[in-house]
């Protein structure tokens, strides 16, 4: 029997394909009455071991048989966690198999749906955990991520405005910090060094911006930068050649990198490097560096 009369649809996220874990979650949410009876019903239905992780539209007026059919026929929504520091093409490559995009849809993600505004080319596809309807196309997914960015970034708009920093400028710096840092603890120092260079009208000399310009090389994103790259890549993303910030962010930063932009560590350093243990060291002069 159904445990209730409510026909209100809820999104139920099942993070495991194990029958017992799913049954426990359904019982806790009041969608089934008996953990044991539900598992017996799975056996009778011949659906043991066929639960797929994901999100499902369920309601309390569904009986156990209907729920079993729903959660063994494929999720209504799929969950993905996107880490900080990916570029939009990497995000697209992760979404493609999850949502069953065609090569054409992926290309549209890269060249159309993520270029609707000069401000949305990069950096606004916020790193987070998303629950995405399986029938949602790439255009709607891009809007979903931009809306999430707008919500998460909202508290910082005024903070940057108070310091006369455009939000687009802040996002460019945050993206560089994200790619250059060994972890969140490095970010304020890297921010301090970057601000020192910018305020001193000094070229940024950042490898990560050249990596962005190189794109996918030998099947890998973020390829190693060589001296030849520094000399020969004629791109505004080559911050060894061109002063100032790159035209767009180079990745999609998280909150720690965004906060580091507005809260840089006060330092006399203009240079930094990481040792083999990813420990950061900074220097005041090029000779010291």
């Amino acid at each position: 029997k159904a445990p209730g009369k409510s026909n209100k649809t809820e999104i139920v996220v099942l993070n495991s394909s194990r029958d017992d874990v799913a049954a426990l979650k359904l019982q806790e949410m009041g969608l089934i009455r008996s953990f044991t009876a539900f598992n017996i019903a799975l056996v009778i239905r011949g659906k043991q071991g066929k639960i797929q992780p994901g999100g499902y539209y369920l309601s309390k007026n569904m009986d156990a048989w209907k729920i079993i059919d729903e959660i063994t026929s494929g999720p209504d929504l799929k969950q993905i966690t996107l880490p900080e520091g990916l570029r939009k093409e990497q995000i697209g490559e992760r979404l493609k198999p999850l949502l069953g995009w065609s090569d054409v849809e992926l290309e549209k993600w890269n060249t159309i749906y993520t270029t609707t505004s000069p401000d949305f080319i990069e950096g606004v596809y916020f790193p987070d955990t998303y629950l995405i309807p399986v029938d949602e196309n790439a255009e709607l997914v891009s809007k979903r991520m931009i809306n999430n960015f707008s919500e998460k970034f909202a508290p910082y708009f005024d903070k940057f405005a108070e310091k006369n920093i455009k939000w687009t400028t802040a996002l460019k710096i945050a993206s560089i910090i994200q790619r250059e840092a060994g972890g969140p603890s490095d970010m304020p120092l890297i921010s301090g060094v970057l601000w020192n260079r910018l305020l001193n009208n000094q070229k940024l000399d950042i490898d990560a911006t050249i990596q962005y310009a190189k794109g996918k090389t030998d099947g890998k994103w973020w390829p190693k930068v060589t001296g030849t790259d520094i000399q020969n890549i004629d791109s505004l993303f080559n911050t060894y050649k061109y002063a100032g910030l790159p035209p767009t962010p180079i990745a999609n930063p998280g909150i720690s990198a965004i906060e580091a932009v507005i809260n840089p560590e006060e330092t006399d350093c203009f240079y930094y490097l990481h040792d083999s243990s990813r420990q950061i060291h900074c220097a005041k002069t090029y000779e010291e560096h």
Side-chain angles (χ1 to χ4, degrees):
K1 293 182 179 180
K5 295 181 179 180
S6 173
N7 61 1
K8 181 182 178 181
T9 300
E10 301 178 56
I11 296 176
V12 179
V13 181
L14 302 178
N15 292 317
S16 172
S17 59
R18 285 177 49 183
D19 296 345
D20 57 341
V21 174
L24 183 60
K25 176 70 174 286
L26 293 169
Q27 186 178 42
E28 288 174 347
M29 295 188 68
L31 288 159
I32 61 172
R33 293 185 186 278
S34 169
F35 172 92
T36 303
F38 185 80
N39 279 293
I40 292 172
L42 275 171
V43 175
I44 294 172
R45 204 68 151 186
K47 297 292 183 72
Q48 273 185 302
K50 295 185 179 180
I51 295 173
Q52 298 182 41
Y56 294 87
Y57 298 122
L58 303 176
S59 65
K60 290 182 179 178
N61 69 349
M62 289 174 145
D63 61 27
W65 306 110
K66 177 63 174 174
I67 289 175
I68 287 172
D69 288 343
E70 287 291 324
I71 66 175
T72 58
S73 62
D76 300 307
L77 309 99
K78 291 191 176 181
Q79 187 168 286
I80 186 170
T81 298
L82 299 171
E84 300 166 344
L86 299 181
R87 52 190 290 161
K88 69 180 182 185
E89 293 91 348
Q90 289 179 284
I91 293 173
E93 286 181 354
R94 296 186 182 206
L95 291 170
K96 182 176 183 286
L98 184 79
L99 300 176
W101 289 353
S102 65
D103 290 340
V104 171
E105 191 73 353
L106 177 61
E107 181 62 21
K108 287 181 178 179
W109 163 272
N110 291 333
T111 61
I112 299 175
Y113 303 142
T114 55
T115 60
T116 56
S117 161
D119 294 338
F120 295 164
I121 290 173
E122 189 69 270
V124 294
Y125 305 97
F126 192 75
D128 206 345
T129 296
Y130 292 89
L131 196 60
I132 304 173
V134 294
D135 59 353
E136 191 162 281
N137 64 27
E139 181 179 15
L140 292 176
V141 174
S142 70
K143 291 179 179 178
R144 176 185 293 272
M145 293 185 177
I146 292 170
N147 289 340
N148 187 33
F149 164 79
S150 297
E151 181 180 330
K152 297 291 173 42
F153 195 79
Y156 299 96
F157 278 109
D158 289 343
K159 293 180 181 180
F160 286 119
E162 287 170 7
K163 295 196 174 186
N164 200 29
I165 302 170
K166 292 182 179 179
W167 74 268
T168 49
T169 297
L171 203 57
K172 292 175 187 179
I173 298 171
S175 72
I176 294 173
I177 293 170
Q178 186 72 65
R179 289 305 313 176
E180 287 282 298
S185 62
D186 294 352
M187 292 180 176
L189 176 57
I190 293 175
S191 178
V193 171
L194 293 177
W195 276 117
N196 284 350
R197 293 181 186 177
L198 288 168
L199 295 173
N200 197 46
N201 294 318
Q202 179 178 328
K203 291 197 297 293
L204 290 178
D205 293 350
I206 296 294
D207 284 1
T209 63
I210 296 182
Q211 288 178 309
Y212 188 80
K214 289 183 72 171
K216 198 170 191 178
T217 305
D218 297 328
K220 295 180 180 180
W221 296 105
W222 310 107
K224 184 177 179 180
V225 173
T226 67
T228 301
D229 294 329
I230 291 171
Q231 293 175 1
N232 295 340
I233 292 179
D234 189 16
S235 165
L236 292 177
F237 288 95
N238 185 343
T239 51
Y240 285 87
K241 276 183 176 288
Y242 294 95
L245 290 164
T248 71
I250 61 169
N252 293 277
I255 291 299
S256 294
I258 291 168
E259 289 185 342
V261 177
I262 205 166
N263 296 303
E265 182 176 321
E266 290 189 19
T267 177
D268 293 329
C269 292
F270 280 79
Y271 304 91
Y272 62 86
L273 57 79
H274 291 88
D275 62 26
S276 58
S277 301
R278 299 300 292 161
Q279 179 68 37
I280 194 168
H281 304 273
C282 78
K284 297 179 182 179
T285 67
Y286 183 76
E287 290 74 22
E288 183 185 351
H289 174 65

